[in-house]
Amino acid sequence: QVQLVESGGGLVQPGGSLRLSCVASGFIFSTAVMNWYRQAPGKERELVAAITSATTTTYADSVKGRFTISRDNAKRTVYLQMNSLKPEDTAVYFCNALVRTYSLTTSYWGQGTQVTVSS
C-alpha cells in the first residue's frame, strides 16, 4: 500500500534551518507530483511547496526565497529545505503525493512532522 513517511521536524530557533524528508512507497514515485503542506493550530492546511515529475517547483508567497523543495527519484524521497525560519512557520508539515493512474488522480498523505520555531 501507499506510504509516506516524514522526518526531520523539531524545535529550532528563529533564523535557523531544518530539512524535512518524505520517503514514499507503494506507487510510481517518479511520475507523482509531490507536495509539502502545513497546518498551524487553528488554521487551515496550506500548500507550502510543490514539485512535478519534471522538477518544476512552486512555492507559497510566504516561503519564497527561504524554502526549497527537491526530489531524489532513486531514493523515492522528497525534501523541504527550510532556511531563515520564522515563528510563523511553526506548524505540522505534511507530505502529499498526487498519483495519476489512467484518468484518476489520487491524493495520499503522510502522518505529519512537527516544526516549532521558537527562542
Side-chain angles (χ1 to χ4, degrees):
Q1 75 274 22
V2 172
Q3 281 195 311
L4 298 172
V5 180
E6 302 104 329
S7 62
L11 174 64
V12 63
Q13 292 188 340
S17 297
L18 282 174
R19 188 177 82 155
L20 306 183
S21 299
C22 171
V23 179
S25 61
F27 62 94
I28 303 175
F29 180 81
S30 61
T31 62
V33 174
M34 299 301 298
N35 306 299
W36 285 100
Y37 282 77
R38 68 185 179 186
Q39 187 166 21
K43 294 189 176 181
E44 291 188 355
R45 193 171 295 190
E46 64 172 348
L47 179 63
V48 175
I51 186 167
T52 69
S53 59
T55 66
T56 299
T57 58
T58 56
Y59 297 92
D61 287 343
S62 58
V63 306
K64 281 181 182 176
R66 300 188 298 122
F67 290 11
T68 302
I69 188 171
S70 61
R71 65 192 298 160
D72 185 332
N73 289 340
K75 295 182 178 179
R76 304 178 60 84
T77 302
V78 61
Y79 304 98
L80 186 67
Q81 178 67 45
M82 305 186 294
N83 299 328
S84 303
L85 282 161
K86 305 175 181 180
E88 51 264 43
D89 295 318
T90 295
V92 178
Y93 284 70
F94 297 90
C95 179
N96 170 261
L98 296 178
V99 179
R100 182 161 183 167
T101 306
Y102 302 106
S103 61
L104 177 67
T105 298
T106 305
S107 178
Y108 298 99
W109 294 90
Q111 81 287 350
T113 185
Q114 176 70 47
V115 172
T116 302
V117 185
S118 175
S119 55

